[in-house]
Amino acid sequence: MDSHPESPIAPPPEAPREPILTLPPALTAYIVLIAVIHLRVLLPPELENWTIDVFGFIPKRYDSTLLDVTFPGGDGAKVWTFVTYSLLHANLTHIGFNVLWLLPFGSALARRFGAVRFFVFMAVTAAAGALAHLLTHEHAIAPMIGASASVSGTMAAAIRFAFVRGSFLSFSRGDADAAARVPALSLSRALRNGRVLAFLAIWFGVNIVFGVGSLAIGGDNVSVAWQAHIGGFLAGLVLFSLFDPVPRARDDAADASSVDQSGRV
């Protein structure tokens, strides 16, 4: 009987690894919405200015002292501008700067929260940023625009889980979905984590430099509303647990999971 050599068995193909940085649908929709709204720059100047007056956040709307100024939008604008200002931007550089920070932090948060939670979170952190701006610019007549407060909120929320083993800023991470679903640290545990504290120090330091130095982004002499950044950041850090659908690990388990295989935290 003839014998035939056995055919080599090919190893099973590896499952494709999804890149850690991909855009979930909710974040894609958010960025597209900002881009479409920015087409307002194609409007005649008087109509574009009217759009900013109606949808931008103007602290003077809530001030009955000093100058008697009437803004378009009426009483309704006192409500919706707490959120709508965040969808307006000064220029493409302003949009690009915010999108750049949304790519890692917003992607992880949108995957973790899902679309509805993500959009509500962005609105809540925008409102928190507007409130912080109002408290520190009580009589300001210049409108504030931009998504930076919400972007700051996503950064703050994401660091509650970003450094946990397997997440997107850890030394040992999984694919995009797995990285976004690791159990988060409690607020108290996060504030005792060395990498979280280092991130906080750098973030607040940069914003203080922007505030003290009155630096501008985009070359149009548009000042940075750094108080709004801080308001959105603090809201994202503190309110994260109200939105988070992933069960939180016990403190002892969180301690173990926050250290990667090389022993670094």
Side-chain angles (χ1 to χ4, degrees):
M1 184 171 63
D2 293 337
S3 61
H4 299 280
E6 294 182 2
S7 300
I9 300 175
E14 292 186 4
R17 279 180 66 89
E18 187 177 5
I20 194 69
L21 182 56
T22 57
L23 291 185
L27 181 59
T28 301
Y30 182 79
I31 293 173
V32 169
L33 177 62
I34 286 176
V36 170
I37 289 176
H38 193 64
L39 293 177
R40 64 177 175 78
V41 298
L42 302 178
L43 298 172
E46 62 276 8
L47 189 53
E48 182 190 359
N49 291 334
W50 177 87
T51 302
I52 294 177
D53 287 341
V54 172
F55 298 105
F57 188 80
I58 305 174
K60 182 62 183 172
R61 289 189 206 273
Y62 311 90
D63 179 18
S64 59
T65 63
L66 298 180
L67 299 176
D68 183 15
V69 181
T70 301
F71 296 99
D75 290 337
K78 293 182 178 181
V79 178
W80 65 61
T81 56
F82 268 89
V83 175
T84 56
Y85 82 92
S86 66
L87 301 176
L88 299 168
H89 288 78
N91 47 49
L92 291 177
T93 302
H94 193 193
I95 293 177
F97 189 83
N98 283 328
V99 169
L100 178 66
W101 288 109
L102 273 176
L103 291 180
F105 297 97
S107 291
L109 208 64
R111 287 182 180 278
R112 187 180 186 95
F113 284 176
V116 174
R117 282 188 177 93
F118 178 73
F119 291 136
V120 173
F121 178 86
M122 297 298 278
V124 168
T125 49
L131 180 60
H133 185 71
L134 176 61
L135 294 176
T136 53
H137 296 78
E138 183 180 1
H139 306 301
I141 198 170
M144 178 181 69
I145 58 176
S148 297
S150 294
V151 173
S152 298
T154 65
M155 296 171 73
I159 64 171
R160 293 281 298 272
F161 62 91
F163 298 114
V164 174
R165 181 179 174 182
S167 193
F168 68 103
L169 290 183
S170 72
F171 294 106
S172 175
R173 67 190 186 191
D175 61 22
D177 285 323
R181 304 286 296 182
V182 298
L185 300 174
S186 66
L187 180 58
S188 61
R189 185 68 57 184
L191 294 178
R192 293 197 296 270
N193 181 285
R195 294 170 69 189
V196 172
L197 290 176
F199 185 95
L200 292 174
I202 294 171
W203 189 91
F204 277 99
V206 169
N207 276 273
I208 290 173
V209 168
F210 272 101
V212 173
S214 299
L215 299 179
I217 295 176
D220 290 341
N221 295 320
V222 179
S223 61
V224 176
W226 60 277
Q227 295 94 335
H229 295 186
I230 292 176
F233 190 92
L234 292 177
L237 185 66
V238 173
L239 299 179
F240 165 80
S241 296
L242 298 180
F243 293 86
D244 189 20
V246 179
R248 190 188 308 161
R250 301 191 314 271
D251 283 347
D252 54 349
D255 280 340
S257 66
S258 64
V259 181
D260 71 6
Q261 293 177 336
S262 63
R264 291 171 290 187
V265 296

